[in-house]
Amino acid sequence: MSMEKYQIFLPVSGPSSPSVSPSSLSIENPVIYFHGDSENEVRPESRFQHLDAKNSVSQTSRICKGSELRVKPGKRVGDSDDCRKHRFAFQTRSQVDILDDGYRWRKYGQKTVKSSRFPRSYYMCTSNGCNVKKQVQRNSKDEGIVVTTYEGMHNHATERSSENFEDILRQIQTCTPF
DNA sequence: CGGGTTTGACCAGCGC
DNA sequence: GCGCTGGTCAAACCCG
């Protein structure tokens, strides 16, 4: 794995330590991208693009762009704020799509996307009042890589301990200040 | 029976 | 204006 693959994009605001802990996975060469706060005029997308312009980057920005604009009458207006304020994407090399991050997720949709030959799955947190969503998709260039995009902040604690991956995450962040 | 998944339909934004 | 695309809904279904 190249050194460049370990570059990490830290959020300008938002979760200081993302609750991402696929402890049940065989994590190999995690590649993590954090998406900054667009409200603060920070455009981390450009930094994304130099690393992986064709995959998770463009999709992440498209996802949130759509979520901001598409608010149905009387339906979850708060989603747009969460999306703008807290979102990040990361990649893991894994055999399974679903990351065990300690939260409970309900799948609410799956779509085939044009940019990838693999379907994109949509999940929402099942905790009452928690509007966090995530999207999971395999990298079309490398099907061993799973791209996970989180939107929003959990307003509750994890249901299970997720220390294993947090340790890994901490090590990565320590090794690669950006 | 309750909770989660599947899947087709629907809707809105965007590009042409 | 229209078609394409992505995100969400919701009914049907599955499973413990």
Side-chain angles (χ1 to χ4, degrees), chain A residues 6-72:
Chain A
Y6 274 112
Q7 286 189 329
I8 295 176
F9 300 96
L10 295 170
V12 176
S13 66
S16 58
S17 176
S19 299
V20 179
S21 54
S23 54
S24 65
L25 309 180
S26 58
I27 304 168
E28 305 173 15
N29 307 336
V31 182
I32 304 178
Y33 307 103
F34 292 105
H35 202 142
D37 184 354
S38 60
E39 274 190 337
N40 291 340
E41 304 289 340
V42 177
R43 314 300 298 178
E45 292 89 343
S46 58
R47 290 190 286 169
F48 272 117
Q49 286 166 355
H50 92 273
L51 189 145
D52 187 1
K54 302 176 201 60
N55 295 305
S56 63
V57 179
S58 59
Q59 288 168 6
T60 299
S61 41
R62 284 187 65 122
I63 287 164
C64 286
K65 188 175 184 180
S67 296
E68 281 179 75
L69 297 175
R70 186 170 180 268
V71 179
K72 290 184 178 180

Side-chain angles (χ1 to χ4, degrees), chain A residues 87-121:
Chain A
R87 70 178 186 271
F88 59 90
F90 64 91
Q91 297 183 358
T92 52
R93 184 173 293 278
S94 171
Q95 299 299 313
V96 297
D97 292 345
I98 308 303
L99 306 182
D100 181 12
D101 57 7
Y103 294 97
R104 292 182 63 202
W105 300 94
R106 172 179 297 170
K107 187 175 185 177
Y108 67 89
Q110 177 174 306
K111 287 283 289 188
T112 57
V113 293
K114 191 179 182 182
S115 58
S116 174
R117 58 196 172 99
F118 299 101
R120 176 182 298 163
S121 297

